Amino acid sequence: MALVEQAERDKKRTPARRRAFQHVDKYGLSSVVARHRAGMSPAQASGSEKDTEAKCVEMIYSEASELVEPLPEEFYTKPVDLNTVSSVGQRIAQPVFQYENVARLLPKRKTLLVKRSQRCQQCEHNLIKADFNPFSIKFKIQLIAVYLVPEVRIEPGAHLHPGKEGRVVLSLSNPSPYQMHILLFPSDKEAEMGNCKVDLPKSELTLSAKDDTAEFDDSTEAPQDFKDDPQVVVYRKANKLGVVIKVTPQLPAKETLVTFILKYDYRKVSLGTEEPPPIWLHQYVVCNLGPLVA
């Protein structure tokens, strides 16, 4: 008797498994879905005699009318505030409502973002590895090139003429928390990828370490102990540096391409107090300077 009572108690604790198709067949959802896929109308899909006898309703086409309600006087007298009027893109994003006032817009749904880990295709080392805590937004490993390789940008205002030497200003920024040294060398792929003759600075360039607080404080000035050449360095601000290169377009082309080698020192981020030793790396850079000026 004790074994029988124990078996009955175990049955009550573990509920019986039920499959989903039982509920579907119970409420007749399978037949409705099958008829919907077959292209039947909702009246015929219900299966009742009254619904099957229903006839198709004739639609009345809309016609243009000459009688149009006049606009209220507010449209002519009240000044328009563009900050309160929704744009066309905002209205299309919510086609059901299409509110004209920004205050009536509803928050848009956002797709679920999943943390992913990526490895290098050659050495199979971890480049990005998220934290184990699902509520944390930090990364346990983050070794992508954005945080290691110096960023190169082309300053606007360069006007190049075919066969004439022109000045182009490049902006270099240091993404690492350590001081960085940069050297520029001519590339061996200039004949393949570039169509201009470029004169690069021969001296070593020094970039200050990146400071996140300096981006929000415009009053901070860069130290003056770098001894920059004024003919090479145009400006210096925080971890950014403006460098002048001389470019001479040789062949008339739609786009002016300049290629060179960027050599820089890299230091691994360490938690200790001592600064890690530098590791010199190089990167091929191709800059598109835009069309030539006739």
Side-chain angles (χ1 to χ4, degrees):
M1 292 297 294
L3 296 175
V4 174
E5 292 178 357
Q6 182 66 24
E8 291 179 357
R9 285 195 296 267
D10 294 341
K11 288 182 180 180
K12 292 180 180 180
R13 291 178 183 175
T14 57
R17 295 182 179 179
R18 297 180 180 178
R19 296 183 180 179
F21 72 87
Q22 296 179 356
H23 298 281
V24 173
D25 294 340
K26 180 179 178 181
Y27 296 103
L29 298 177
S30 59
S31 60
V32 175
V33 173
R35 292 180 181 180
H36 180 69
R37 290 181 178 179
M40 299 178 67
S41 62
Q44 297 175 354
S46 60
S48 60
E49 297 180 357
K50 295 182 179 179
D51 295 336
T52 53
E53 295 177 358
K55 298 181 180 180
C56 296
V57 181
E58 296 182 0
M59 303 297 296
I60 301 175
Y61 295 97
S62 59
E63 297 179 358
S65 177
E66 297 180 356
L67 301 176
V68 181
E69 297 182 0
L71 295 175
E73 296 182 359
E74 297 179 356
F75 283 84
Y76 304 100
T77 58
K78 188 177 180 180
V80 180
D81 188 4
L82 297 179
N83 296 325
T84 60
V85 179
S86 60
S87 61
V88 177
Q90 292 174 343
R91 299 182 188 181
I92 295 175
Q94 299 180 359
V96 180
F97 304 101
Q98 298 188 8
Y99 294 122
E100 298 180 358
N101 196 350
V102 179
R104 300 186 62 186
L105 293 177
L106 301 176
K108 189 178 179 181
R109 292 183 179 180
K110 189 176 182 180
T111 56
L112 180 63
L113 301 179
V114 183
K115 295 182 179 180
R116 295 183 179 179
S117 299
Q118 294 183 358
R119 291 178 177 269
C120 180
Q121 297 181 358
Q122 297 181 0
C123 61
E124 296 185 356
H125 281 77
N126 285 325
L127 299 179
I128 300 176
K129 189 175 182 180
D131 196 1
F132 294 104
N133 187 6
F135 296 98
S136 177
I137 60 174
K138 297 181 181 179
F139 292 90
K140 190 175 182 181
I141 299 175
Q142 194 170 14
L143 299 177
I144 56 179
V146 178
Y147 300 97
L148 304 177
V149 182
E151 183 182 7
V152 180
R153 292 191 177 185
I154 304 172
E155 295 290 338
H159 302 284
L160 300 176
H161 300 270
K164 296 183 180 180
E165 187 180 70
R167 289 164 52 94
V168 179
V169 180
L170 299 180
S171 175
L172 307 177
S173 59
N174 180 14
S176 65
Y178 300 104
Q179 195 177 50
M180 182 178 292
H181 301 83
I182 294 178
L183 293 171
L184 302 179
F185 298 100
S187 175
D188 53 354
K189 300 180 180 180
E190 184 176 357
E192 301 177 1
M193 305 179 65
N195 54 9
C196 297
K197 182 180 178 182
V198 57
D199 186 9
L200 302 171
K202 300 179 181 180
S203 59
E204 185 181 272
L205 305 173
T206 306
L207 294 178
S208 303
K210 183 180 179 180
D211 186 7
D212 296 333
T213 60
E215 298 180 1
F216 304 98
D217 189 7
D218 297 336
S219 62
T220 56
E221 297 181 359
Q224 302 296 329
D225 55 350
F226 290 104
K227 298 180 181 180
D228 298 327
D229 187 0
Q231 296 182 357
V232 177
V233 179
V234 180
Y235 66 89
R236 179 185 288 275
K237 182 179 179 182
N239 62 326
K240 296 181 180 180
L241 183 70
V243 183
V244 176
I245 61 173
K246 297 179 181 179
V247 179
T248 304
Q250 296 179 350
L251 300 176
K254 295 181 179 180
E255 296 180 350
T256 307
L257 301 178
V258 174
T259 177
F260 56 89
I261 298 177
L262 177 68
K263 188 176 181 180
Y264 60 96
D265 57 348
Y266 154 68
R267 291 177 174 83
K268 295 183 179 180
V269 179
S270 62
L271 301 178
T273 57
E274 297 182 358
E275 187 175 350
I279 301 173
W280 284 92
L281 303 174
H282 69 278
Q283 187 73 29
Y284 286 93
V285 180
V286 179
C287 299
N288 187 354
L289 305 179
L292 298 175
V293 179

